[in-house]
Amino acid sequence: MKRRLMTGFMAAALAGTVLAGCGGTKSAETDAVTEAVKTEGAKTAEATEKTEEKTADGAMITVGFAQVGHESDWRTASTNSVQAALSRENGIDLQFVDCDNDSAAQLEAVRNFIQQGVDYIVIDPIISTGWDIVLTEADDAGIPVIVIDRTIDDSDKYVSWVGSEFTNEGLAAGAWLEAYAEKNGVSELNILEITGTTGSSAEIGRTSGFHKYIEKNGWNLLDSQTGDFTQEGGQSVMESYCKSYEGKFNVVICQNDNEAFGAIDAMTAAGVKFGVGGDVILISFDACTAGLTDVLAGKINADFQCNPLQGPDCLNIIKKLEAGEKVEKKTFMAEPWYVAEEGLSEISYTNNAGKAVTEPLVPVDQAVVDAAY
Ligand code: AHR
């Protein structure tokens, strides 16, 4: 691994941001550190000038980030989180590449980072396979790779991954639908599914988790097509579903909020009544601000969070690696499940690790929406 000396300013900035990013109860010690960082913060202009100087002498940490694209509200929150944490103020020179959902472009971006000799590479992999050769190249070049959000499943040549347990998201959606249908006396479920980007671990996990409940209950899956995690994709698939399955479906599951926004527009145009009190139960994933606004309005019945705020975790990993400390190979984000109605307060299911769990269902109010990303 390539190494540089960290200056006092960089160490203070890294320490301060990691503490701020982790949140939680502040101790006197963290207050003191926070105060020290605030003092640094008061000298923003001077500090920025100094870090710019450090760029010239190569002391900044250089990080290349190959982001999936800009397909969703979730993605915007992810990009903002990483850019805010891996900032010049925190001693990091971040090169950001929006790969526009193009796997070949993402591999090329990573190869460019390797050629430039950046200190770290951060990847949010569009799809979960096809990574072994390029990660071997990064490894040979001594550049640590940090993976966020989606997983890489055909190579372990990365130092750390932090993201979501997508299979649990799908399992939780299935467990909720099972309990909701039983509570409301819905005996026959005819389901239309709009999946995310094919081959992404988010799509693979959510599909496999939810399908376990389809098989277990003998639910009828009428159709499943990809909406590529976009609003346009969700709308176009739902428009076609409304024509092909008119009057025949009572559940729509969209694998992210933007697909659900498109499905809402298509069902509204087709005169389909969905959401609370409607004929069709609508399920989504992500729980971004606009998604939770639709849950609060009763348009989406349940929204399973996928947490995009991995910037502070990335910074924390880099900080530890810089200090020569060990990092976790895998870290899962904590993710709540949101619902439009009270009545069911929790769900129980066997999670992807084989553990029986009981987890709360959070009814959405304005405070929940206001706290979202
Ligand atoms: O990988 C996370 C998924 O990708 C989110 O569910 C979706 O909104 C995004 O595009």
Side-chain angles (χ1 to χ4, degrees):
M1 182 191 303
K2 300 186 336 166
R3 305 214 63 78
R4 292 155 316 288
L5 286 175
M6 268 210 298
T7 65
F9 170 77
M10 285 167 66
L14 283 167
T17 305
V18 169
L19 285 166
C22 291
T25 312
K26 285 201 295 175
S27 65
E29 194 185 341
T30 57
D31 276 341
V33 176
T34 306
E35 212 34 62
V37 173
K38 272 189 200 156
T39 311
E40 288 289 344
K43 303 172 190 163
T44 308
E46 192 191 340
T48 304
E49 207 173 292
K50 280 182 186 164
T51 49
E52 298 287 349
E53 282 167 19
K54 281 174 195 130
T55 315
D57 69 17
M60 296 260 288
I61 300 170
T62 55
V63 179
F65 175 29
Q67 173 63 293
V68 168
H70 50 273
E71 72 284 2
S72 61
D73 288 30
W74 189 100
R75 190 62 53 198
T76 304
S78 161
T79 295
N80 290 344
S81 173
V82 173
Q83 287 180 333
L86 304 190
S87 64
R88 299 186 77 79
E89 288 72 21
N90 290 327
I92 290 178
D93 178 13
L94 180 68
Q95 293 182 51
F96 172 80
V97 177
D98 175 334
C99 301
D100 201 16
N101 219 26
D102 178 340
S103 292
Q106 191 167 44
L107 288 176
E108 193 186 329
V110 172
R111 287 208 164 90
N112 283 339
F113 292 147
I114 296 170
Q115 270 175 9
Q116 288 165 39
V118 297
D119 298 313
Y120 296 90
I121 296 173
V122 178
I123 304 171
D124 189 329
I126 297 168
I127 56 172
S128 64
T129 53
W131 287 101
D132 191 41
I133 294 171
V134 76
L135 289 201
T136 301
E137 289 165 13
D139 196 35
D140 290 347
I143 302 173
V145 171
I146 298 162
V147 182
I148 63 168
D149 171 34
R150 301 179 187 175
T151 55
I152 284 176
D153 296 336
D154 63 352
S155 171
D156 65 354
K157 293 196 177 78
Y158 55 87
V159 289
S160 190
W161 166 86
V162 55
S164 302
E165 223 311 357
F166 298 112
T167 304
N168 283 353
E169 294 173 1
L171 287 166
W176 173 82
L177 183 58
E178 185 182 67
Y180 186 81
E182 191 182 324
K183 186 170 191 317
N184 291 284
V186 185
S187 55
E188 190 180 314
L189 294 185
N190 294 303
I191 301 169
L192 290 170
E193 182 176 55
I194 304 180
T195 57
T197 300
T198 307
S200 67
S201 65
E203 175 269 323
I204 294 167
R206 288 172 190 161
T207 304
S208 87
F210 185 69
H211 283 215
K212 285 210 168 93
Y213 275 83
I214 292 182
E215 284 150 28
K216 177 186 168 202
N217 291 286
W219 294 335
N220 187 18
L221 180 64
L222 294 170
D223 210 336
S224 178
Q225 291 178 29
T226 183
D228 222 5
F229 283 135
T230 67
Q231 180 159 345
E232 302 72 39
Q235 179 160 354
S236 145
V237 171
M238 197 66 229
E239 281 168 357
S240 129
Y241 281 168
C242 284
K243 286 180 195 142
S244 307
Y245 301 100
E246 188 183 348
K248 293 181 181 150
F249 60 96
N250 60 356
V251 177
V252 172
I253 179 163
C254 298
Q255 285 189 354
N256 81 345
D257 280 343
N258 289 78
E259 289 178 345
F261 305 150
I264 285 171
D265 289 346
M267 285 193 282
T268 303
V272 175
K273 290 193 168 59
F274 54 88
V276 177
D279 302 321
V280 173
I281 298 164
L282 180 57
I283 300 170
S284 184
F285 297 86
D286 280 1
C288 62
T289 303
L292 290 178
T293 302
D294 280 350
V295 177
L296 184 59
K299 295 178 185 175
I300 295 175
N301 295 81
D303 203 344
F304 297 82
Q305 195 197 58
C306 177
N307 190 329
L309 306 180
Q310 282 123 17
D313 298 277
C314 267
L315 186 63
N316 195 21
I317 290 163
I318 291 171
K319 184 192 165 211
K320 283 186 166 175
L321 293 171
E322 286 289 306
E325 292 173 21
K326 275 192 157 186
V327 293
E328 293 293 327
K329 185 77 178 181
K330 289 189 174 191
T331 306
F332 292 100
M333 308 291 287
E335 300 182 324
W337 318 133
Y338 293 107
V339 291
E341 297 160 272
E342 292 184 358
L344 284 173
S345 59
E346 60 188 27
I347 46 170
S348 297
Y349 63 100
T350 302
N351 71 16
N352 197 30
K355 189 178 168 203
V357 292
T358 297
E359 293 168 343
L361 296 167
V362 183
V364 173
D365 58 19
Q366 192 57 49
V368 169
V369 175
D370 292 343
Y373 48 84

